[in-house]
Amino acid sequence: MHLAAPAIVLAIRMHGEHGAVVRALTPEDGVRPGYVRGGRSRALRPVLQPANIILGEWRARTDDQLPALTVELVHSRAALHGEPLPAAALDWLTALTAAALPEAQPYPRLHAALSGVLDAIEAAPAARGWAGTMARYELLLLAELGFGLDLDRCLVTGSSDDIAFVSPKSGGAVSRAAAIGYEDRLLPLPAFLRAGGEPDWPEVFAALAITGRFLARDVLVDRRAETLAARERLIDRMKRAVA
C-alpha cells in the first residue's frame, strides 16, 4: 500500500514514547490513519495539529498493517488554537469528522466543505463569519453518511411552500400550515438551510439544534458520543460571544 496525498489533520493520538498515530482526511481516499515516527518531537508537534494541511505519504506492506506515515507541512492553522472560539471550532469540526467517517472511503464533497469551513474560520475568527457554514457542513455530513434530512417538501402535504419546521423524529420538513397545533413538538427550520444566505444568530442556533439532534441520534452513538462534548463547548462559547 502506497498513497501520497494532501490531507487535513483530524486527530492525533500519542503512541509509545516517541510516535503518534495520526488520522487525516484526503480529498479522494477518505480518512487515512498512519504511524508517524517521532510524532511527539518538537519538530513535528507544530505540524501535527488538528486542521493543519499536510502532504502525507502512507506506506504499508499489507492492507491490514497500520501504514507508516511521513508528513510535510503545507499550511498551518496552529495559531488559531490560541484563540478560544476558533480553537473550539477547529476541535469540534476535526473531532466530528474523525469520529463519523469510516476509514478509506472517499468523501470528496466533505473534504471540500471542511476545507471551506476551516478557511472561513481562519479568515474571520469571529463566529459571525462562519457559524452558518459550520451548520451547513454538519447537514452535509449527515447526508453523506445516509442520514440526510428531507427539507424540500412538507412530509404532510407534499408541498414545497412555506416550509418552517423539521420533524425531530423523521427529519422531514413540515409547512407552517401543517404544523398548526404541533409547533412545540417540531424544530424551527431557519430559511438559510434551504435557500442559502447569511443567517442571523437565532437562525444559526436553530440550525445547530436541528443538526445536533440528528448527529447525536444517528451518527455519534456509543463511544463516539463523547465527541459531542466538543460541540457543547463550542456552542457555549458562541453564545457567550454574542450575549
Side-chain angles (χ1 to χ4, degrees):
M1 179 267 188
H2 178 216
L3 171 67
I8 302 169
V9 177
L10 300 179
I12 305 97
R13 177 172 57 85
M14 299 310 171
H15 184 81
E17 293 185 7
H18 305 291
V21 175
V22 176
R23 301 183 75 222
L25 179 63
T26 67
E28 302 295 336
D29 294 277
V31 175
R32 290 286 180 168
Y35 175 77
V36 179
R37 186 181 299 275
R40 303 180 68 171
S41 67
R42 290 183 180 180
L44 285 179
R45 278 202 301 267
V47 176
L48 301 178
Q49 293 288 324
N52 278 0
I53 301 174
I54 59 168
L55 180 61
E57 188 168 4
W58 290 259
R59 292 181 180 273
R61 292 182 179 178
T62 68
D63 290 339
D64 296 331
Q65 182 183 25
L66 178 66
L69 171 60
T70 57
V71 299
E72 177 183 339
L73 182 64
V74 174
H75 180 70
S76 176
R77 295 189 174 102
L80 291 175
H81 289 282
E83 303 181 41
L85 188 54
L90 298 187
D91 285 348
W92 160 242
L93 289 164
T94 53
L96 166 65
T97 307
L101 298 190
E103 293 178 359
Q105 299 295 319
Y107 291 98
R109 292 179 66 200
L110 280 177
H111 181 276
L114 180 58
S115 295
V117 182
L118 297 176
D119 286 345
I121 296 170
E122 189 172 12
R128 183 70 179 86
W130 48 261
T133 306
M134 185 184 76
R136 284 190 284 262
Y137 176 74
E138 294 180 351
L139 195 67
L140 176 63
L141 185 141
L142 285 164
E144 290 285 294
L145 292 177
F147 301 107
L149 309 187
D150 184 2
L151 305 181
D152 293 331
R153 295 183 179 276
C154 174
L155 62 85
V156 179
T157 67
S159 172
S160 60
D161 297 331
D162 201 21
I163 301 296
F165 297 93
V166 173
S167 165
K169 293 183 179 180
S170 70
V174 182
S175 68
R176 201 176 306 275
I180 293 175
Y182 298 93
E183 292 91 344
D184 60 343
R185 302 182 187 181
L186 301 171
L187 299 169
L189 174 63
F192 84 97
L193 284 185
R194 298 181 71 239
E198 292 298 323
D200 59 23
W201 281 114
E203 290 178 316
V204 166
F205 291 121
L208 293 175
I210 293 170
T211 54
R213 158 81 181 180
F214 294 100
L215 285 172
R217 190 190 74 177
D218 298 326
V219 177
L220 299 176
V221 296
D222 301 326
R223 292 182 180 180
R224 293 181 295 174
E226 298 174 2
T227 306
L228 287 168
R231 191 177 195 269
E232 293 170 4
R233 289 192 296 270
L234 170 59
I235 292 177
D236 180 63
R237 285 179 177 173
M238 290 170 62
K239 289 180 176 178
R240 282 185 284 155
V242 302

